[in-house]
Amino acid sequence: MIRLRSVASPWTLGSALIASIVAVAPLSVLVLALTPEGEAIWGHLASTVLPGYLINTALLLLGVGLGTLVIGTGCAWLVTLYRFPGRRLFEWALLLPLAVPAFILGFTYTELLDYAGPVQATLRALAGWSSPRDYWFPEVRSLGGAILLMSLVLYPYVYLLARAAFLEQSLCTLEVSRTLGCTPLAAFFRVALPLARPSLVVGVALALMEALNDYGTVKLFNVHTLTSGLYNVWLIMGNRQGAAQIACVLLTFVVALIIAERLARAKRAYHGAGGRSRPIEGRPLNGLAGGAALIACALPVVLGFGVPAAVLLRNTLVRLPEAIDGPLLGYARASLTLSTLAAAIALALGLFLAYAGRLDPSPLTRWLGRLSGLGYALPGTVLAIGLLVPFGAFDNALDGWMRAHFGLSTGLLLSGSLFALVFAYVVRFLALSFGAAESGLARVRPSLDSAARSLGCRPAQVLARVHLPLIKGSLLTAALLVFVDSMKELPASLLLRPFNVETLATHVFQFASSEQIERAAPGALAIVVTGLIPVIVLSRAIAQARSWRGTPGETPSQ
């Protein structure tokens, strides 16, 4: 009876409803892929372009995985274990590339490194070359270029988690390995790296999911992946079933990443030895070693943030009067409105899910919470096709019924309005708000709940009067993360925006894809500046966590 009351509670039923809504998109993609409709082109795709899509996608994931792992882990190890010039600056500056969307980095480097760009023009002027046949220069619009640029903006996912893992390791463990004959490099590979393995796997998996979601960079660089193929089959060939079948292949990659991440941690324990630990203070690096560490940490920051920010600022200053008088402010207003709505709704739903899990910590509510976060693993293109199908069917059914009974046309209420775009943002980024709310609630002592309930408060009143004031910092962080990610979201915005509606991301991509770099710069700079907000928040959170670690006897909640 107790169990039945738990399942039938409003909080559990609400969580089940949210999870069901999130599951609509992937389920509709599966149904559409398996339902014959129009011309079946799967055989044609499989015999022509699909092998190329698969190979390019696999190579892209392999390259981005290796690139983010090497850059993120190496930089985290240097700033954690050693002291060298600029170390304090690099601790937070290495997060800056997180503010730059990959497609914006792509078009800035395209402008710099193309044949007509300033780099090759300078080389030709200095060496006296007159045509491309006189010299060799690496092609930026290639698979290798896409891998390099995506690695430069996605490595902070690995850096963040790797640095946290290295900070949690005890210096005593590393010193014991040194007494057993390990060199510093051997201690890194044989002790520190295996202990940090779970964090590294999660960081690389997050980076690869972002790479799978990317459409702007692969389109600009003319790299044919599953994401670009889905877009072409749907919008150019006009075949929804073929697009859904490619989406299912894309989902297979996502599921494989999640399974690989789980298997990497299965039946393994990663605990530091001993009950006491000594924080890592860092060994000094002087001379050439210090200079090499400085260059190794500076390169990702300069290439991933400094160069694109400088290019965008220069082009923005050239186009500033035109940007102020043009429609850019309207696009910015649309992006701000949509992102604010998405952040508010996602925050409310995430808090509801997290509090339902606190009230009833059963496997059912935990499973519903995890299912509600599924949208973060769905690429934007897959999410868009998964929403348009049921929304379009609902719109057509409602319009037909209204015409038959009242002679009125309701039009495309869901699929042709901003509702679909906000819905997609909420589903895509609900995992961020849920995770932040869940971690915030976990730091509140359960005895506070019991005390408030003993005074006659209902669960909703406990949430409003006790928990919200205590976790408002976590909720603000969650809202900021959803807001900024919604501002940067490109694939879903391209496919779901109504006619005559542009966001900053779609505005920038349209000009960038037509080689009008200067006209794209003001909007791109606005997105980058907005993206700096969560970077600053993350930097402050890391600094506060470090100060707490150095104050014995205190807890984060205090």
Side-chain angles (χ1 to χ4, degrees), residues 154-401:
L154 297 178
Y155 81 81
Y157 287 102
V158 182
Y159 167 77
L160 267 175
L161 294 170
R163 179 163 160 68
F166 291 146
L167 283 171
E168 290 169 359
Q169 293 177 10
S170 168
L171 183 61
C172 302
T173 306
L174 298 175
E175 288 178 342
V176 167
S177 68
R178 297 296 304 279
T179 62
L180 295 176
C182 284
T183 63
L185 193 62
F188 170 68
F189 282 107
R190 299 178 65 178
V191 179
L193 206 57
L195 285 174
R197 179 178 168 182
S199 299
L200 300 182
V201 171
V202 173
V204 171
L206 287 173
L208 295 185
M209 286 183 189
E210 290 294 330
L212 272 178
N213 181 53
D214 180 87
Y215 171 72
T217 311
V218 296
K219 174 68 176 176
L220 289 173
F221 284 23
N222 201 28
V223 177
H224 301 293
T225 63
L226 285 170
T227 304
S228 62
L230 187 156
Y231 196 89
N232 292 337
V233 170
W234 187 4
L235 295 186
I236 297 177
M237 300 176 68
N239 192 302
R240 293 194 310 169
Q241 188 184 23
Q245 289 165 341
I246 293 180
C248 288
V249 179
L250 200 54
L251 277 178
T252 305
F253 272 85
V254 175
V255 173
L257 282 176
I258 295 173
I259 292 175
E261 188 266 332
R262 297 294 179 188
L263 289 178
R265 291 186 292 169
K267 298 181 180 179
R268 291 179 172 87
Y270 299 86
H271 305 298
R276 300 180 60 186
S277 64
R278 186 153 56 92
I280 296 173
E281 298 176 352
R283 298 178 55 201
L285 288 180
N286 301 314
L288 289 177
L294 186 150
I295 293 173
C297 291
L299 273 178
V301 180
V302 172
L303 297 177
F305 182 81
V307 172
V311 172
L312 293 177
L313 184 60
R314 185 200 64 183
N315 290 335
T316 299
L317 293 177
V318 172
R319 291 279 181 175
L320 190 58
E322 179 185 333
I324 294 175
D325 296 334
L328 184 64
L329 292 180
Y331 302 150
R333 195 178 304 115
S335 287
L336 290 172
T337 304
L338 291 169
S339 302
T340 303
L341 277 174
I345 298 171
L347 183 63
L349 295 181
L351 180 61
F352 185 95
L353 287 166
Y355 193 58
R358 183 180 179 89
L359 290 175
D360 177 23
S362 65
L364 174 63
T365 52
R366 285 202 301 271
W367 185 81
L368 291 174
R370 299 294 175 263
L371 182 60
S372 301
L374 177 66
Y376 195 69
L378 295 177
T381 47
V382 177
L383 183 61
I385 196 172
L387 294 180
L388 274 183
V389 172
F391 285 1
F394 175 83
D395 286 337
N396 290 332
L398 180 64
D399 187 67
W401 188 83

Side-chain angles (χ1 to χ4, degrees), residues 407-446:
L408 297 175
S409 173
T410 56
L412 302 176
L413 280 180
L414 300 184
S415 60
S417 66
L418 294 177
F419 175 85
L421 206 49
V422 175
F423 192 97
Y425 290 164
V426 172
V427 171
R428 176 107 169 81
F429 303 119
L430 180 57
L432 298 177
S433 60
F434 170 65
E438 188 180 39
S439 62
L441 286 172
R443 292 198 295 270
V444 179
R445 288 191 296 271

Side-chain angles (χ1 to χ4, degrees), residues 63-111:
V64 172
L66 286 174
T68 54
L69 181 65
V70 171
I71 299 173
T73 308
C75 291
W77 177 253
L78 285 174
V79 300
T80 307
L81 268 293
Y82 298 99
R83 296 200 304 270
F84 54 90
R87 173 205 179 194
R88 291 289 186 191
L89 172 68
F90 289 124
E91 285 181 356
W92 62 268
L94 282 162
L95 295 173
L96 289 176
L98 203 60
V100 184
F103 74 95
I104 291 179
L105 191 71
F107 80 70
T108 55
Y109 274 99
T110 300
E111 183 192 13

Side-chain angles (χ1 to χ4, degrees), residues 113 126 138 158 188 205 321 380 387 403 428 432 453 474 545 551:
L113 302 178
L126 292 175
V158 182
F188 170 68
L387 294 180
R403 283 175 182 272
R428 176 107 169 81
L432 298 177
R453 295 297 299 273
S474 298
T551 309

